Amino acid sequence: MANEIVIKGAREHNLKDIDLTIPRDELVVITGLSGSGKSSLAFDTMYAEGQRRYVESLSSYARMFLGQMSKPDVDSIDGLSPAVSIDQKTTSKNPRSTVGTTTEIYDYLRLLYARIGIPHCPECGREIKKQTTDQVTDEILRLGREVRDEAVRAAVEQALAEAEAAGSAPDADKLAAQVEADVKDTKAIIMAPVLSGRKTEGTKIIADLQKEGFSRVRIDGEIVKLTGEPVKLDKRIKHFIDVVVDRVTLKESATSRVAEAVELACKLASGRVLVQVLDAAGNPLGGGERKTSSGATGGLAEGEHLFSLALACPEHGHSMDELQPRDFSFNAPYGACPDCLGIGSRDEVDPSLVVPDPSLTLNEGVIAPFKSGNYYPQVLRAVALHAGTDADTPWEDMPKKAQKALLHGLGKEKVRVDYRTVDGRDTYWYIEWEGVLAAVKRRYQEAQSDAQREKLQAYFATIPCETCGGKRLKPEILAVTVGGKSIHDVTEMSAAQSLAFFEGLSLKGQAAVIAIPIVKEIRERLRFLVDVGLDYLTLERATATLSGGEAQRIRLATQIGAGLMGVLYILDEPSIGLHQRDNERLIATLERLRDLGNTVVVVEHDEDTIRAADFVVDMGPGAGEHGGHVIAAGTPAEVMAQEGSVTADYLSGRRRIAVPAERRRPGRGSLKMTGAKENNLQDVTLEVPIGTLTVVTGVSGSGKSSLITDTLAPALANRLNHAHRRTGPYRKITGLDKLDKVINIDQSPIGRTPRSNPATYIGLWDDIRALFASTSEAKARGYAPGRFSFNVSGGRCEACKGDGQIKIEMHFLPDVYVPCEVCNGERYNRETLQVTYRGKNISEVLDMTVEDALHFFENIPGIKRKLQTLFDVGLGYIRLGQPATTLSGGEAQRVKLASELQKRQSGKTFYILDEPTTGLHFEDVRQLLEVLQRLVDAGNTVLVIEHNLDVIKCADHIIDLGPEGGDRGGTIVAVGTPEEVAEAEGSYTGHFVKRMLEADRKLAAAE
């Protein structure tokens, strides 16, 4: 019992009261058809109960902050450990979250650079050394001279202007000498920054300063006189306390006094001196307005200078404080770039969105924001004429000078605009043309309505910050190096390159002793990233841009780094997005997690992972209502011998996805894109035969998403669908005349609220509501189709607003959803439910499965056709009214496919699918392939990004990218039919396809 997890009476979702015993400290794979109950067992039962028990063990005070968890519908689970879920839905969308911060590698890097980093001057690159008291004194006096000289220059200019206005012409030299004699010397306050950016009440610090005889301190930018009364600050916010050491006039005769003040300040503030230079009248610089350096920013106001006897460049005067880990954080004001605040980018008007289709002319509306209206088209024609071109020349053929004039403006140069008003009058005027980009930005800032602002927002894109170049940190922080590289240089490398750098890092003396434990942790974490197949990711990569599989494997690497044992880890398809070549490394990582002494439960469809498992649980036999049973449980060999298991049939070869008898070669030409250079793409030329099922594959990080998702898909959407999407750089695209639209079918949800469901998404619900409205009972009552909608008032139950359930908020307990007492969960009011069709009311139809509805509506062709497409994509088990939020990514994608299948095909549509086999069982993949082949048979072109070998072997055409990931990828290594790619040298995909085709031939021969 101690070595087993015993589950009894699990009934969560579609589980059919199952009993199951799973061995502890083993690698367990739960597999089965999509919707068969795998996630219900692993996440909604085992994980939910493990998490709930852990939370219940905490005090009620702690539980108040963690939130309550409801008990899953299960009789008992024995032998359960604390559970950790590593799923695909926990990726942070925060732009500050990166691979480095998520894996904690960046935290160790910050510590390393703070402890052994060598600072350099950001201007001259010279290593920064300590300053002496004399150097600081000289620098303060120089600052005073600069301020005084500026005041003299301003006064002379003013006196000359006044004399000129009065009609006299004084001697400039004499006037300058007189003014210089009148202008007083600059003053300065010399302070000791004793507290910087810390939360404190400050009572003791200030009391100690009073005892030492200091009468003034500056607290958060405001100078306060110490009267002997106790001072108490708000301890919840960070404070800055500077002791006023002396107020001096900056002149040569005061050198010794300045030096004494500097020495005293350094003694009080551990070698630091803060100087605020004042104007001749003794007021702070910057127009007399006091700009504080208090808690919000930690920065310096105008006229303030911080010196350190520790670190400074003697030539350029760049001072640096003692380095702290927080200085290297782009999430703290101490090190973050002041312009982008550490994000590394900002929103600007993107020329590629303003000119989405360069083949158009100005008269055809090439400038998307200004293609309509009366004013801007005429102005643009005038600017084009002024720049030496005309409005009938395609944008791509225009001279670069004309393009620049139109986009970026002509500065102060005047342009004549011959203008025809709306009522037909001709006029003209001269304008200073600001440029399309500036005009869009100005109109966005001046927009009065949200609709107008939203329309113009479409032309903005995120670009790197000009100040820091996208590096997120201040120049002086970026000038700190270890091994000749800055912290940003290290984060720019891929995980594999970073690992090589730290393994080859050679340090001497004290630095080596300090760095040993830090570098050891960095190397281990980098090695974990490499082991889970993420060697191509850079540490600066934003986690928001990662795929679900990549994010999950990062969390997996982090968990291995934690080194916990006795934990129940539950993973959701970690092989997603992973090439077959990298599968072995992932499996070895899972085995390592198990060998630490943990139970690893993996929901997975990958054949290699199933075969490597210690214990396999096969759910089924069908999906949805037809699933929820344990069909087989045991070692992989025991499961494969089981009769009646679809999984076992595919693993043993009793069933297989057959290779097509022949590959399509339609001869209808091709879509060709040349010169793609997004991310790591190396001037790639892509050619997709029209009318084929084409698969783009390659190892992880080879550039598939950069080529298709970031370049081809938006380029086609802009040209064919008149969208305004940012497109990766490319030279030319041809073959568009053979297509009429592009459709991207991804795995994003079909709706964000429970009110959205498969029936509403594919347009089926409108037909059903119209059918009910056409019944004699509905006509007699005067009901229109709107009466049968649960989204609007009229026919719905108003007590629950058509939801069928009401949320009850409970204190110290989880929120409870109870069926609506008025409609009993049926969503509609009593009068609406009295209208029936063939004995069923509208609520009962909502609760039908697709399979049941197909028989029920078999005599209604329009409804049957839409239901048939849902059934054909393998969704016969889902309910018509099933909330969109409960559908998996694979199910949502197949609902979208069904929506496309039921439309009338033009034969000129270009479909793009990104890893559609995610979450699909072998049998589901077979059904998906049948659907894709139907789309191609109708004359359409289907382009799929995929690693699944069953999909790859069934393709008409393969485009294989590689040879490796990251910088070593970005080229096309093989193209052609699967048979041709299988023989290609240097193609990892070809190696696996060859093995797959040979195995298929043997199975076919045996049959």
Side-chain angles (χ1 to χ4, degrees):
M1 187 80 162
N3 294 321
E4 295 174 336
I5 298 172
V6 181
I7 302 168
K8 291 189 176 178
R11 294 175 295 275
E12 193 71 17
H13 299 322
N14 67 332
L15 298 180
K16 304 293 195 301
D17 202 18
I18 63 171
D19 297 339
L20 180 64
T21 300
I22 294 173
R24 284 173 56 87
D25 303 336
E26 302 277 9
L27 175 57
V28 180
V29 169
I30 301 177
T31 188
L33 294 168
S34 297
S36 59
K38 303 182 299 298
S39 295
S40 297
L41 174 61
F43 288 96
D44 300 330
T45 303
M46 293 173 66
Y47 169 66
E49 180 64 7
Q51 189 76 346
R52 187 190 68 83
R53 288 185 190 180
Y54 169 68
V55 171
E56 287 294 315
S57 71
L58 303 175
S59 67
S60 58
Y61 180 75
R63 294 203 304 271
M64 185 171 68
F65 297 102
L66 288 170
Q68 296 294 318
M69 304 185 72
S70 57
K71 189 179 189 306
D73 192 359
V74 60
D75 291 340
S76 68
I77 304 181
D78 296 321
L80 202 57
S81 306
V84 174
S85 159
I86 306 178
D87 58 22
Q88 297 162 35
K89 299 172 184 172
T90 50
T91 314
S92 171
K93 299 299 179 189
N94 189 327
R96 295 183 180 277
S97 176
T98 67
V99 171
T101 58
T102 305
T103 56
E104 297 175 0
I105 293 172
Y106 196 74
D107 295 333
Y108 285 101
L109 284 175
R110 291 194 293 122
L111 181 61
L112 180 72
Y113 274 78
R115 295 295 172 256
I116 67 164
I118 301 169
H120 296 79
C121 172
E123 283 188 57
C124 64
R126 180 185 298 180
E127 188 177 328
I128 290 180
K129 300 281 177 70
K130 288 188 176 183
Q131 284 178 299
T132 64
T133 306
D134 290 343
Q135 285 175 317
V136 174
T137 303
D138 291 344
E139 181 64 18
I140 293 171
L141 291 171
R142 186 189 65 76
L143 289 170
R145 285 194 298 274
E146 274 187 6
V147 172
R148 187 175 186 278
D149 290 347
E150 178 62 27
V152 169
R153 187 190 60 76
V156 168
E157 284 182 0
Q158 185 180 351
L160 285 171
E162 287 173 356
E164 191 176 332
S168 62
D171 187 322
D173 291 337
K174 282 184 179 179
L175 184 63
Q178 184 183 344
V179 169
E180 190 166 0
D182 293 340
V183 172
K184 295 177 181 178
D185 288 314
T186 308
K187 294 183 174 64
I189 302 173
I190 298 175
M191 295 174 278
V194 292
L195 187 84
S196 298
R198 274 175 47 202
K199 294 178 181 178
T200 179
E201 289 184 345
T203 310
K204 186 176 183 307
I205 296 172
I206 293 170
D208 289 345
L209 292 171
Q210 281 181 306
K211 284 179 188 174
E212 290 182 33
F214 293 102
S215 60
R216 283 181 173 81
V217 293
R218 192 174 75 160
I219 301 172
D220 297 339
E222 296 292 335
I223 292 179
V224 177
K225 191 169 183 178
L226 301 180
T227 58
E229 295 294 322
V231 176
K232 192 172 182 180
L233 306 176
D234 186 345
K235 66 179 180 181
R236 294 172 297 177
I237 62 172
K238 293 178 181 177
H239 296 287
F240 294 77
I241 300 177
D242 311 314
V243 184
V244 177
V245 175
D246 202 354
R247 186 184 176 106
V248 295
T249 302
L250 298 179
K251 53 186 178 182
E252 291 302 321
S253 59
T255 302
S256 59
R257 183 174 172 181
V258 173
E260 285 175 13
V262 168
E263 282 184 4
L264 182 54
C266 289
K267 187 177 175 184
L268 287 169
S270 306
R272 294 190 305 153
V273 185
L274 179 63
V275 177
Q276 184 179 27
V277 181
L278 308 173
D279 61 18
N283 296 316
L285 300 180
E289 183 185 340
R290 185 181 293 279
K291 297 179 181 177
T292 70
S293 59
S294 61
T297 64
L300 295 171
E302 188 178 347
E304 291 185 3
H305 304 272
L306 182 66
F307 298 96
S308 171
L309 295 196
L311 301 164
C313 171
E315 185 179 341
H316 296 99
H318 284 286
S319 292
M320 287 194 73
D321 224 337
E322 201 67 42
L323 292 171
Q324 297 292 331
R326 69 183 185 182
D327 295 330
F328 295 91
S329 171
F330 44 77
N331 295 326
Y334 309 100
C337 167
D339 277 11
C340 64
L341 303 177
I343 291 176
S345 60
R346 61 173 187 266
D347 287 346
E348 290 289 346
V349 182
D350 188 340
S352 68
L353 297 177
V354 169
V355 185
D357 187 355
S359 64
L360 299 179
T361 66
L362 280 175
N363 283 336
E364 291 169 339
V366 68
I367 307 290
F370 303 138
K371 62 184 177 185
S372 58
N374 189 52
Y375 175 74
Y376 277 109
Q378 295 187 70
V379 171
L380 291 171
R381 283 196 287 271
V383 174
L385 200 64
H386 183 85
T389 185
D390 60 64
D392 293 314
T393 303
W395 180 267
E396 56 196 2
D397 298 332
M398 273 189 191
K400 288 281 183 276
K401 180 186 170 187
Q403 291 181 358
K404 186 178 178 183
L406 285 161
L407 290 178
H408 300 283
L410 292 163
K412 297 292 182 183
E413 199 174 333
K414 300 279 188 181
V415 179
R416 174 177 167 133
V417 178
D418 292 303
Y419 187 77
R420 173 163 289 183
T421 61
V422 178
D423 55 5
R425 290 181 295 107
D426 289 327
T427 183
Y428 75 91
W429 63 78
Y430 289 89
I431 64 165
E432 291 177 1
W433 173 237
E434 61 183 335
V436 170
L437 304 185
V440 171
K441 188 171 185 178
R442 176 179 53 76
R443 292 187 68 193
Y444 175 78
Q445 291 167 344
E446 295 172 357
Q448 299 295 314
S449 68
D450 289 341
Q452 192 179 2
R453 202 172 289 112
E454 191 176 328
K455 183 181 176 184
L456 292 168
Q457 179 71 46
Y459 301 105
F460 282 76
T462 303
I463 63 165
C465 166
E466 288 181 8
T467 306
C468 65
K471 296 179 180 179
R472 297 174 173 241
L473 297 169
K474 292 177 180 176
E476 55 268 32
I477 299 301
L478 292 168
V480 179
T481 64
V482 170
K485 293 192 179 292
S486 72
I487 194 166
H488 182 261
D489 293 337
V490 174
T491 60
E492 268 190 321
M493 299 179 191
S494 67
Q497 290 169 331
S498 293
L499 182 59
F501 169 72
F502 282 107
E503 286 182 337
L505 186 62
S506 176
L507 298 168
K508 294 175 183 176
Q510 188 182 11
V513 176
I514 296 169
I516 284 171
I518 307 172
V519 172
K520 177 175 173 283
E521 292 288 344
I522 292 171
R523 283 177 188 158
E524 280 187 6
R525 280 164 168 75
L526 286 169
R527 201 168 285 116
F528 296 147
L529 279 180
V530 172
D531 288 346
V532 294
L534 296 175
D535 53 333
Y536 59 91
L537 285 184
T538 61
L539 296 179
E540 67 167 356
R541 172 92 173 259
T543 51
T545 66
L546 298 173
S547 69
E550 285 172 333
Q552 189 177 18
R553 291 198 292 281
I554 281 181
R555 294 189 63 216
L556 180 60
T558 307
Q559 286 299 330
I560 295 171
L564 295 173
M565 64 177 292
V567 175
L568 172 63
Y569 285 105
I570 301 180
L571 291 87
D572 186 10
E573 291 197 72
S575 68
I576 289 172
L578 204 58
H579 192 270
Q580 296 295 320
R581 185 198 69 165
D582 301 317
N583 247 3
E584 290 174 8
R585 284 196 292 185
L586 175 66
I587 292 167
T589 305
L590 295 174
E591 289 171 343
R592 182 173 176 182
L593 199 57
R594 172 201 66 190
D595 295 341
L596 284 171
N598 301 298
T599 306
V600 182
V601 176
V602 185
V603 175
E604 189 57 274
H605 297 292
D606 177 68
E607 185 175 340
D608 293 339
T609 312
I610 295 171
R611 291 184 186 278
D614 303 313
F615 192 83
V616 177
V617 179
D618 183 29
M619 303 295 294
E625 295 298 309
H626 305 303
H629 296 281
V630 175
I631 302 302
T635 63
E638 290 168 352
V639 170
M640 278 191 272
Q642 183 80 29
E643 293 291 331
S645 163
V646 180
T647 305
D649 289 346
Y650 276 99
L651 288 174
S652 62
R654 295 192 291 270
R655 284 199 204 186
R656 65 188 177 89
I657 296 174
V659 177
E662 58 181 33
R663 311 288 180 188
R664 296 183 187 86
R665 296 182 186 271
R668 288 166 49 194
S670 63
L671 177 74
K672 188 174 183 180
M673 171 180 273
T674 57
K677 292 182 179 179
E678 180 76 354
N679 296 332
N680 66 333
L681 296 178
Q682 297 174 23
D683 204 20
V684 168
T685 295
L686 171 74
E687 195 162 359
V688 180
I690 300 294
T692 62
L693 173 58
T694 298
V695 173
V696 177
T697 186
V699 297
S700 302
S702 58
K704 302 181 297 298
S705 294
S706 297
L707 180 60
I708 306 304
T709 311
D710 299 339
T711 308
L712 180 67
L716 291 177
N718 291 346
R719 295 287 193 93
L720 300 174
N721 301 355
H722 307 295
H724 303 296
R725 290 174 55 191
R726 186 197 165 274
T727 306
Y730 68 94
R731 266 196 306 278
K732 197 173 183 183
I733 188 165
T734 56
L736 292 172
D737 55 315
K738 302 174 180 68
L739 305 170
D740 61 5
K741 62 180 177 292
V742 60
I743 294 173
N744 194 358
I745 303 176
D746 58 18
Q747 294 204 355
S748 61
I750 59 171
R752 300 285 177 189
T753 67
R755 291 178 179 276
S756 178
N757 57 51
T760 57
Y761 185 83
I762 68 168
L764 174 67
W765 199 238
D766 294 338
D767 296 341
I768 291 175
R769 289 192 293 116
L771 177 66
F772 269 83
S774 68
T775 60
S776 54
E777 179 69 22
K779 286 180 179 176
R781 293 171 179 238
Y783 291 168
R787 177 81 190 193
F788 299 95
S789 169
F790 50 76
N791 290 325
V792 294
S793 300
R796 72 179 183 186
C797 168
E798 288 303 322
C800 62
K801 298 288 189 287
D803 279 340
Q805 55 188 11
I806 295 172
K807 183 171 85 168
I808 308 295
E809 293 186 0
M810 311 277 280
H811 291 290
F812 297 103
L813 288 170
D815 293 338
V816 175
Y817 288 89
V818 296
C820 174
E821 291 181 356
V822 179
C823 67
N824 296 318
E826 294 185 321
R827 294 183 167 209
Y828 294 92
N829 58 33
R830 193 183 303 123
E831 290 72 24
T832 307
L833 293 174
Q834 287 171 356
V835 178
T836 61
Y837 172 77
R838 291 183 58 193
K840 299 274 187 187
N841 64 36
I842 192 80
S843 179
E844 290 167 335
V845 169
L846 259 183
D847 205 39
M848 282 183 180
T849 63
V850 169
E851 192 175 357
D852 294 338
L854 196 55
H855 296 299
F856 186 75
F857 293 110
E858 60 186 351
N859 297 323
I860 313 293
I863 295 176
K864 184 184 176 184
R865 181 169 56 83
K866 292 178 180 178
L867 285 167
Q868 188 67 49
T869 58
L870 280 172
F871 187 77
D872 290 347
V873 296
L875 294 177
Y877 61 90
I878 65 171
R879 299 186 178 278
L880 297 185
Q882 186 168 333
T885 50
T886 66
L887 296 176
S888 69
E891 287 169 336
Q893 189 170 38
R894 282 181 286 166
V895 170
K896 293 176 185 178
L897 270 172
S899 176
E900 288 303 317
L901 280 172
Q902 50 105 2
K903 294 176 183 173
R904 300 202 181 278
Q905 298 295 331
S906 65
K908 295 177 73 176
T909 305
F910 194 96
Y911 291 100
I912 297 174
L913 294 92
D914 189 355
E915 294 197 53
T917 61
T918 298
L920 300 193
H921 185 265
F922 307 108
E923 179 65 13
D924 300 315
V925 172
R926 184 189 63 76
Q927 289 180 326
L928 174 73
L929 277 167
E930 285 182 3
V931 172
L932 296 181
Q933 298 288 15
R934 271 174 62 183
L935 287 172
V936 181
D937 288 339
N940 302 302
T941 307
V942 176
L943 181 71
V944 183
I945 303 173
E946 192 55 83
H947 293 294
N948 187 292
L949 287 172
D950 284 319
V951 175
I952 294 170
K953 75 180 184 184
C954 293
D956 300 314
H957 189 75
I958 295 176
I959 299 165
D960 186 33
L961 276 86
E964 300 288 340
D967 293 341
R968 293 170 293 160
T971 59
I972 292 178
V973 293
V975 291
T977 63
E979 289 77 15
E980 290 166 351
V981 171
E983 301 302 325
E985 290 291 326
S987 166
Y988 290 113
T989 305
H991 169 70
F992 287 101
V993 170
K994 188 172 185 177
R995 274 171 38 184
M996 179 67 109
L997 292 174
E998 285 171 356
D1000 259 58
R1001 279 194 286 271
K1002 287 178 185 175
L1003 287 171
E1007 289 173 0

